[in-house]
Amino acid sequence: MTMTTTASPRGEEHELALLLGGRCRRCAERIPGGTALRGRPCPRCAEATLPSPEDREVLHQLATQRATVRLSVAVVGVAAAALVASWVPLLTSCLLVAALVWLRVTLVTPALQLLSLQRKLVARWTLRLAAGCFVALSVLLLELLTLVPGLGALAKVALSAGQVAVAGLFARRYLAWQTGREARGVPVAWWELGLLVAWMLLLLAFTTASVLLVLYVLQSLGFVKEFLVMPVGG
């Protein structure tokens, strides 16, 4: 990759790191989303970002590779923590939510900085609603396993790690698809807005079902009864 004619390899790495972070490779100021992937100059210092299509493709690939590494860390972390938490109701679900928040901060947010405003808004809300549906559905599956003695806890370990992997792969591929379209100058499609409505309806359905199941699980294990009786006994 040739970003400047005189830049050293170390300098090129630094410039790429700045561009991946949504900053100009010369003045290090924030640049509008989509600037680097569209090859536009920095609006502050007029420095060229990535005028070559080959350079823009390299930036796209680096963003995808970084996402893969961070996803692997999340999967391993959840699997290790779930070995301890799988015996406690709701704790594994909380770990899953924490892993998704970590992926959002380390994987989703940096990728969104590379996108133009309209595409960023569509991508952000698509991933938020999809994550909400995924969490609600995951709670349904994980808490059902709480009712299964013995093997249920071990199954929760494998399932929680697999769920994080699936969610991360979806986010990574979706963002790679969006950054690739940004680099090619493809506009946001009308059906992407319709997809947001579909995700919202699914989120309402899954959330209602998961809340009812959690109440049933807690009642089956005696937590609800103990909670209601505690003030009377005190």
Side-chain angles (χ1 to χ4, degrees), residues 27-232:
C27 67
E29 294 292 335
R30 287 283 181 186
I31 54 178
T35 300
L37 288 174
R38 294 289 181 91
R40 296 168 179 166
C42 172
R44 296 180 181 272
C45 67
E47 175 72 11
T49 51
L50 294 172
S52 166
E54 291 77 12
D55 287 353
R56 294 196 292 271
E57 179 61 25
V58 168
L59 186 69
H60 173 220
Q61 293 175 358
L62 287 175
T64 303
Q65 292 171 4
R66 181 176 62 178
T68 301
V69 173
R70 291 174 177 177
L71 171 59
S72 301
V73 173
V75 171
V76 173
V78 167
L83 287 172
V84 178
S86 59
W87 302 94
V88 182
L90 295 180
L91 192 53
T92 304
S93 297
C94 292
L95 283 174
L96 178 65
V97 173
L100 293 180
V101 171
W102 189 83
L103 287 176
R104 176 188 172 186
V105 173
T106 62
L107 187 155
V108 175
T109 300
L112 291 178
Q113 293 175 350
L114 301 174
L115 304 179
S116 57
L117 179 59
Q118 183 183 27
R119 193 182 303 278
K120 181 188 297 184
L121 290 174
V122 171
R124 175 182 291 147
W125 280 104
T126 297
L127 290 175
R128 281 180 179 177
L129 292 173
C133 293
F134 184 80
V135 168
L137 184 59
S138 298
V139 170
L140 285 171
L141 297 175
L142 289 173
E143 299 314 317
L144 279 174
L145 289 173
T146 304
L147 300 174
V148 181
L151 293 178
L154 297 178
K156 288 174 71 174
V157 175
L159 182 61
S160 59
Q163 287 173 330
V164 173
V166 170
L169 285 173
F170 171 78
R172 191 199 68 176
R173 292 185 178 181
Y174 175 77
L175 290 169
W177 176 68
Q178 287 288 23
T179 53
R181 296 175 78 215
E182 186 75 63
R184 297 191 300 272
V186 179
V188 175
W190 64 267
W191 57 264
E192 294 184 65
L193 301 177
L195 188 61
L196 291 177
V197 178
W199 282 121
M200 190 175 301
L201 294 175
L202 283 174
L203 178 59
L204 290 174
F206 288 154
T207 300
T208 301
S210 62
V211 169
L212 293 175
L213 176 63
V214 167
L215 291 176
Y216 173 74
V217 169
L218 293 178
Q219 185 177 15
S220 299
L221 297 176
F223 285 95
V224 174
K225 183 178 180 180
E226 291 179 6
F227 178 78
L228 294 176
V229 172
M230 188 180 301
V232 179

